Amino acid sequence: MARPPLIIFGFLPQSSKTKAVAAVLSVVHARAGGPGDTPARRGDLAWFRQEFYRSLTARADALFELTDAVLCADGPVRSLVDLTLVAEHRRGHGAMYDALSHGRVEPQRIRRALASLPLPRATDGRIVLAVDVSPWLRSDAPTSAERLFCHVYGRGRGQAQLIPGWPYSFVAALEPGRTSWTALLDAVRLGPTDDATAVTADQLRAVLTRLITAGHWREGDPDILIVTDAGYDVTRLAFVLADLPVELLGRIRSDRVLRLPKPPRCPGTTGRPPKHGPEFALDRPATWPSPQHATTTTTTRYGTATATSWDRLHPRLTHRGCWVDHPGELPVIEGTLVRLQVEHLPGNRDPKPVWLWSSATDATADDVDRWWRSFLRRFDLEHTFRLFKQTLGWTAPKIRSPHAADRWTWLIIAAHTQLRLARPHATDLRRPWEKPAPPGRLTPARVRRGFRHLRPRTCLPAGAPKPTHPGPGRPPGSRNRRPAPRYDVGKTSTHDRATTARQQNRG
């Protein structure tokens, strides 16, 4: 009978920060994969905690223990000051506020550590990434800088609102099958002068470069699939990232008008050859030609799913928006259009079709089925956002500075990553009214319940707090004679460049 594998965690005393221990953890993490090579055996949790601590270059102990307090709190995080009462946070509330205001975090080091960890893959071994924006609403903070109007859906139909806040763009690797777990890889805050498409393209390029450098993709592997929602210009992203081994898949609006490939030119035809073919209006079936593929799949959640695809469809681009500065003639970006129609949705017996556009051409029927299944997995990222806001307290603090908000965001990402790495070791501490979860199917909230018991067996690099005394503060009865400045909300860039380009094109 084979002996069960020995699970080894990295033990570090709280005052030990020697290079020898770090070298041991690095060697353990760099061990080549094998049949018995598991995250527990390689010590990924201890290694990531050590790397996360090293990325905190100022007020490291206070920031690290604040992250542990988020993981070990008994319930949802409602405020920052309540975290100072958690046993794992051994410092006062003043040190906590000072760490968020004046601490320093190296995001690049955390990004490299996230890219070095094992990533989930699809059934065919392909890496599937999802990119989406989640807002940190700050409607009651006129003294907070760099706020934008964030689109928020209301509870009723047509109740969408624009509320001031800080939008963050997240990139995560998706797991196969229905799950509430995602592997976050990057987060970028969108500023008032940023072009959302350009920032997303740079963010995806940086993430893909780190994944290739870490060895997650090698020559001969299937292309990495990137899934986006309707808010992204998927054709622009496909054009910018064309030199990388990726496929772009995004949902498009149901009122879009695309163009079919230009027809072959007949001999003896005079005049300028057409650049685009006939129109393909998504809301006018009379403009649809015969599809290349049509597949039908029976699902347990959506009933019968019918996917229809057309090859080599492209939008007609103009010198506006993100294409204002494009030199010369605009390109023709062809792809595959997919129409997905399901029998029913939860709570909706008459669902509307979903239109998807992929940057790949000459697709097979298996590719079409793989695309719409991967698009459904994009909604797993919504579970991560809900966990961030409702359980980990990402948007709970009333932080004024956007830079402090960035520090807190990276602490939350580090906490979520530790939950994902602790997933194989956690026990199911369920409530009496909850159903037992099978092995490997614990939700992030259930893993968080038992993290307090796993923490003593992992890396504890934070030093013991030193005795100190609180500062004098503002004298009693005095008034603040330097009020905080107030900032306008919204984009600060002008449209002079677009206006000039339009005038030049007309001339």
Side-chain angles (χ1 to χ4, degrees):
M1 184 175 180
R3 179 178 299 178
L6 178 62
I7 299 177
I8 302 177
F9 293 88
F11 286 88
L12 282 181
Q14 295 178 357
S15 60
S16 176
K17 304 176 184 177
T18 60
K19 297 182 179 179
V21 176
V24 171
L25 292 174
S26 300
V27 171
V28 172
H29 183 269
R31 186 182 303 167
D37 191 16
T38 62
R41 195 169 182 179
R42 291 198 296 160
D44 285 332
L45 179 58
W47 177 85
F48 179 77
R49 286 172 63 86
Q50 185 71 19
E51 285 296 308
F52 172 59
Y53 181 78
R54 292 176 180 175
S55 67
L56 308 175
T57 57
R59 274 76 170 182
D61 295 339
L63 291 175
F64 189 86
E65 290 192 353
L66 179 60
T67 308
D68 279 353
V70 173
L71 292 169
C72 299
D74 292 332
V77 177
R78 303 299 184 188
S79 64
L80 287 176
V81 70
D82 291 338
L83 294 176
T84 61
L85 304 178
V86 180
E88 286 72 16
H89 192 280
R90 301 173 296 174
R91 289 159 174 81
H93 61 278
M96 181 269 298
Y97 285 117
D98 179 70
L100 281 180
S101 300
H102 304 287
R104 286 196 300 270
V105 180
E106 291 184 5
Q108 290 300 329
R109 184 156 192 166
I110 300 180
R111 291 185 175 108
R112 290 194 298 267
L114 294 174
S116 301
L117 295 172
L119 290 182
R121 295 175 180 265
T123 54
D124 59 348
R126 187 188 306 268
I127 297 177
V128 181
L129 303 180
V131 57
D132 202 356
V133 174
S134 183
W136 182 343
L137 301 181
R138 299 291 284 128
S139 58
D140 55 346
T143 59
S144 295
E146 302 182 11
R147 292 182 302 160
L148 300 178
F149 287 107
C150 303
H151 186 270
V152 180
Y153 287 99
R155 291 187 176 273
R157 177 175 295 182
Q159 297 296 323
Q161 301 177 2
L162 292 176
I163 301 179
W166 292 313
Y168 281 83
S169 175
F170 292 89
V171 178
L174 304 179
E175 293 189 2
R178 294 174 55 188
T179 179
S180 56
W181 289 95
T182 60
L184 289 174
L185 299 174
D186 193 18
V188 174
R189 179 172 51 85
L190 303 178
T193 59
D194 292 335
D195 183 1
T197 303
V199 172
T200 303
D202 295 340
Q203 183 184 17
L204 290 174
R205 180 176 294 275
V207 170
L208 294 170
T209 303
R210 289 192 294 268
L211 293 181
I212 295 174
T213 303
H216 291 290
W217 186 90
R218 295 180 176 87
E219 195 70 30
D221 293 346
D223 291 343
I224 300 175
L225 180 62
I226 301 177
V227 186
T228 67
D229 204 2
Y232 290 90
D233 190 350
V234 62
T235 55
R236 174 68 177 179
L237 293 177
F239 176 78
V240 175
L241 304 177
D243 58 326
L244 296 175
V246 296
E247 293 180 5
L248 271 296
L249 177 67
R251 183 167 67 96
I252 60 178
R253 293 171 56 95
S254 59
D255 57 353
R256 289 283 300 272
V257 177
L258 302 181
R259 290 301 184 109
L260 294 167
K262 62 179 181 180
R265 189 174 179 84
C266 300
T269 305
T270 59
R272 182 179 180 181
K275 185 179 180 180
H276 309 280
E279 289 187 349
F280 187 106
L282 275 59
D283 54 354
R284 297 200 303 269
T287 61
W288 304 351
S290 299
Q292 271 72 25
H293 301 286
T295 62
T296 302
T297 307
T298 302
T299 63
T300 58
R301 183 174 178 84
Y302 308 104
T304 303
T306 304
T308 311
S309 66
W310 293 266
D311 193 22
R312 297 191 177 278
L313 269 75
H314 61 274
R316 183 175 181 178
L317 305 178
T318 57
H319 283 89
R320 290 184 299 180
C322 57
W323 299 99
V324 170
D325 296 332
H326 186 81
E329 190 176 3
L330 292 174
V332 175
I333 307 173
E334 294 183 334
T336 303
L337 181 66
V338 180
R339 180 182 184 270
L340 177 63
Q341 178 68 60
V342 297
E343 186 176 357
H344 58 79
L345 291 174
N348 187 359
R349 291 295 176 180
D350 188 18
K352 297 181 180 180
V354 176
W355 292 90
L356 306 175
W357 187 88
S358 173
S359 61
T361 56
D362 300 328
T364 63
D366 295 336
D367 293 334
V368 174
D369 285 338
R370 175 173 56 85
W371 287 337
W372 69 262
R373 292 178 185 273
S374 299
F375 177 77
L376 294 182
R377 297 277 62 80
R378 191 204 68 82
F379 294 97
D380 297 340
L381 194 56
E382 303 296 336
H383 296 285
T384 302
F385 294 155
R386 187 179 297 110
L387 176 77
F388 272 27
K389 297 180 180 181
Q390 297 182 1
T391 303
L392 301 183
W394 173 44
T395 58
K398 303 299 182 181
I399 295 178
R400 174 187 296 177
S401 171
H403 303 290
D406 295 342
R407 298 186 195 100
W408 175 248
T409 301
W410 281 110
L411 297 187
I412 297 299
I413 293 176
H416 181 267
T417 303
Q418 294 180 55
L419 291 179
R420 182 170 62 89
L421 297 177
R423 180 181 175 185
H425 325 306
T427 56
D428 187 12
L429 303 179
R430 64 184 182 90
R431 302 290 189 259
W433 54 85
E434 294 177 343
K435 296 181 179 180
R441 297 295 297 176
L442 291 179
T443 62
R446 289 199 184 187
V447 174
R448 179 172 174 261
R449 293 176 189 171
F451 192 86
R452 172 171 289 174
H453 307 290
L454 295 174
R455 178 180 173 273
R457 293 181 285 165
T458 62
C459 174
L460 300 174
K466 300 178 181 179
T468 183
H469 299 282
R474 185 185 302 167
S478 62
R479 299 181 59 183
N480 182 15
R481 301 185 181 278
R482 292 190 301 176
R486 295 174 177 263
Y487 302 92
D488 296 331
V489 183
K491 293 286 187 179
T492 58
S493 59
T494 62
H495 300 281
D496 296 340
R497 191 178 54 169
T499 304
T500 304
R502 261 196 313 271
Q503 293 176 354
Q504 292 177 355
N505 293 335
R506 293 174 181 175

